[in-house]
Amino acid sequence: MRPRPSWTLSALAVPLAFAAVKLALHAFAILRYGWFRDELYYVACSKHLAWGYVDHPPLSIALLAASRALLGDSLVALRTLPALAGAVGIVVIGLLVRALGGGRLAQALACLCAVLAPVYLLLDHLYTMNAFDQLLWTLAAWLLVRALDEERPTLWMALGIVMGLGLLNKISMMWFGGALFAGLLLTPHRRALGTPWPWLAGALALAMFVPHLVWQAQNGWPTLEFMRNATQLKMTRTPLAEFVLQQVLVMNPATLPVWLGGLVWCLRSSRWRILGLMFLAVALLLVASGTSRPNYLAVAYPMLLAAGGVAIERLTAARGRTWARAVVIAAVALLGAPVVPMGLPVLPVEVFIDYQRALGIRTRSQERTAEAELPQHYADMFGWEEMAERVARVYHGLPPEERAQCGIYADNYGEAGAIDYFGPRWGLPPALSGHNSYWLWGPRGVTGEVLIVLGGSRADQEANFRSVTLADSVRCEHCMPYERGLPIWVGRGLRMPLRELWPRLRMYI
């Protein structure tokens, strides 16, 4: 057992400084572009608190409900929590470096790489479960290193709690658990399996996850249907070469020597080979699936960044090489900074489009949809308020007797979330949709005698209504192509009562 590293404030000065830089970047960009599709859906979910949702467990939604109660519903309030989670994640990376035996140079290098990674900038800019997923994985890696190094049962219990929270936030924490078990089996750390503590940690995590499993069973295991449909109908297959290239891009090409060096250092270390094997296990799982998004592996990189910082610090510690430390830090900062706009909207839209073209870097969408000039993660921040306003014009153009019974049906949760968030200012009723958790919330008392319907063809509407009118269309310059020119229909006289039609509208994808 090595001497325990000190956890004084001075030992954390470097990661705290980088955490402050990260917060400053997010504060600068917090109101650029606009609401993201999933953020609108998450706000809607937070008004229907439950132990689960079709496409995610409950923790991030419960946190959002608490945030809304304390801070309100503004975009600044919404994005404060993920930005803070990202900043705390930087500090935990610094703690992980210390646990691996690194000093200030290692901390600076690992934290700098994490700050510059476009994928972390994006995930911590938006309110989704991914910001908390990233933090919980990093925290779990730190606790694992300490549990293996210090052999303290309380650290295993803390790891179990973090893994349980991770499962309640995103079920991909199962990857961490599976990779951990494989890593223990394949390294000298397997002796830990001869003690009760790893098993108790796993049991604790599973016990915390049980309420969500009960909810899944009560609702027909909707997440399994969602995952199956997404794999078969929405996600595109990603060849191995492209998967690797996307990893380099989303992590920032300037950080490649650090995390790749960290992987090599881990695999060559008998003590910390488990970290390298865990990373490779998760990577192989994602490659084998063939349809993973570039950001799915991002949760596993902090332990490589920490290890890479330690490796480079030790490599440059020899006499006469200390000058190389400043060179490495400067090179990563100077080469990595130009990639920041790929993950954080720090540039005006038109400037970004030209900048992206000049830089020659683009992360391709993993979905079977037409692409916009902007990457999908930026394009999905445009058009929502304008869409709700167009629907409001149609709604208020109806005769009073029709308006009193009119419902609004949207094709996807982004459109429905926009109606629910922006609609109240124009007196719109709650939105209906068959997409994911909106389907679980049902028709909300709407009969279907008069419905405003977003999207679909005239033939689709005439198959369902006795009378159909094209009332308007949505106009949006920078949004995704399938949201541009979106027709707004008014359907009258639904041929089948909406409650009877509802089971056919389910769309888990």
Side-chain angles (χ1 to χ4, degrees):
M1 186 186 301
R2 292 187 299 105
R4 295 178 186 174
S6 65
W7 306 111
T8 62
L9 186 61
S10 63
L12 295 179
V14 170
L16 285 170
F18 279 97
V21 171
K22 183 173 176 65
L23 276 177
L25 284 171
H26 285 289
F28 175 76
I30 200 165
L31 287 178
R32 285 190 176 268
Y33 296 8
W35 286 79
F36 184 67
R37 174 189 301 272
D38 289 18
E39 291 177 316
L40 295 164
Y41 174 51
Y42 270 52
V43 170
C45 288
S46 71
K47 300 174 184 177
H48 299 82
L49 291 178
W51 274 106
Y53 302 86
V54 169
D55 39 1
H56 50 263
L59 180 61
S60 60
I61 303 303
L63 291 174
L64 178 55
S67 173
R68 291 179 57 234
L70 292 172
L71 303 176
D73 279 338
S74 71
L75 193 54
V76 170
L78 181 87
R79 290 178 174 171
T80 295
L81 206 53
L84 288 173
V88 173
I90 296 296
V91 175
V92 179
I93 289 175
L95 293 172
L96 182 54
V97 169
R98 294 284 295 175
L100 292 174
R104 292 191 174 187
L105 182 278
Q107 286 182 321
L109 189 54
C111 292
L112 173 63
C113 290
V115 168
L116 293 176
V119 65
Y120 299 152
L121 290 169
L122 175 64
L123 297 183
D124 297 332
H125 176 64
L126 307 173
Y127 195 100
T128 69
M129 58 188 165
N130 294 309
F132 310 109
D133 190 40
Q134 188 67 51
L135 172 59
L136 291 168
W137 270 67
T138 309
L139 191 57
W142 174 59
L143 289 170
L144 171 63
V145 167
R146 293 190 61 196
L148 293 174
D149 209 26
E150 301 177 26
E151 300 179 0
R152 290 164 54 194
T154 52
L155 290 171
W156 284 107
M157 295 300 95
L159 176 59
I161 291 172
V162 169
M163 291 176 64
L165 291 172
L167 288 170
L168 286 173
N169 178 68
K170 191 174 181 179
I171 61 174
S172 59
M173 180 57 77
M174 291 180 183
W175 303 343
F176 185 95
L180 170 57
F181 183 69
L184 289 172
L185 282 178
L186 295 173
T187 65
H189 291 298
R190 68 178 67 89
R191 65 180 180 272
L193 295 174
T195 72
W197 308 117
W199 304 103
L200 288 174
L204 178 57
L206 180 60
M208 294 173 64
F209 193 50
V210 163
H212 178 65
L213 293 177
V214 171
W215 180 90
Q216 289 281 343
Q218 291 173 339
N219 288 275
W221 301 97
T223 300
L224 294 180
E225 182 178 340
F226 162 79
M227 294 168 62
R228 182 173 63 252
N229 290 340
T231 299
Q232 296 175 355
L233 304 175
K234 182 170 73 171
M235 305 301 292
T236 60
R237 297 202 65 81
T238 307
L240 176 59
E242 184 175 341
F243 178 83
V244 173
L245 176 61
Q246 291 293 317
Q247 295 307 305
V248 174
L249 294 180
V250 301
M251 286 302 298
N252 197 320
T255 71
L256 174 62
V258 179
W259 62 259
L260 190 57
L263 177 60
V264 173
W265 183 81
C266 287
L267 293 176
R268 293 184 62 184
S269 166
S270 59
R271 177 177 289 275
W272 302 123
R273 185 171 298 129
I274 185 173
L275 300 181
L277 293 177
M278 288 175 64
F279 176 86
L280 291 177
V282 177
L284 289 173
L285 175 67
L286 295 175
V287 168
S289 74
T291 56
S292 67
R293 295 178 186 268
N295 65 287
Y296 285 178
L297 188 55
V299 288
Y301 280 101
M303 52 191 179
L304 297 191
L305 294 177
V310 175
I312 292 173
E313 181 179 64
R314 293 181 180 178
L315 186 64
T316 57
R319 182 177 300 176
R321 291 184 180 178
T322 52
W323 58 268
R325 296 183 171 190
V327 172
V328 170
I329 292 287
V332 172
L334 292 174
L335 295 175
V339 188
V340 166
M342 304 304 297
L344 196 65
V346 294
L347 299 176
V349 178
E350 300 299 338
V351 174
F352 173 80
I353 292 172
D354 292 338
Y355 182 77
Q356 176 184 241
R357 191 178 297 118
L359 204 60
I361 295 180
R362 184 178 181 87
T363 54
R364 189 177 66 84
S365 170
Q366 302 304 117
E367 298 183 6
R368 302 177 187 180
T369 59
E371 296 189 26
E373 281 189 298
L374 291 171
Q376 185 173 2
H377 57 264
Y378 285 162
D380 269 337
M381 297 183 195
F382 289 91
W384 304 115
E385 187 171 3
E386 294 83 354
M387 184 198 71
E389 185 177 7
R390 289 272 177 179
V391 170
R393 291 179 188 176
V394 173
Y395 177 78
H396 288 290
L398 297 174
E401 62 275 11
E402 288 190 341
R403 197 161 59 242
Q405 58 181 329
C406 180
I408 301 172
Y409 187 87
D411 184 57
N412 61 61
Y413 65 57
E415 298 162 3
I419 297 298
D420 278 346
Y421 182 81
F422 296 108
R425 71 180 63 170
W426 294 299
L428 295 181
L432 313 177
S433 180
H435 192 199
N436 292 355
S437 294
Y438 265 97
W439 184 84
L440 292 176
W441 304 332
R444 298 183 174 185
V446 175
T447 64
E449 284 303 308
V450 181
L451 271 181
I452 294 174
V453 181
L454 276 165
S457 66
R458 178 175 290 275
D460 293 335
Q461 311 310 328
E462 289 179 345
N464 292 319
F465 296 96
R466 296 185 180 89
S467 170
V468 175
T469 303
L470 178 60
D472 204 344
S473 63
V474 177
R475 293 170 178 80
C476 174
E477 182 181 359
H478 296 297
C479 61
M480 289 297 289
Y482 55 83
E483 300 290 358
R484 297 176 192 166
L486 195 71
I488 304 175
W489 306 94
V490 177
R492 296 175 175 87
L494 196 61
R495 299 182 188 276
M496 178 187 299
L498 186 55
R499 186 158 294 279
E500 294 180 23
L501 180 63
W502 198 256
R504 304 183 188 182
L505 300 176
R506 186 173 73 194
M507 183 174 59
Y508 291 167
I509 189 170

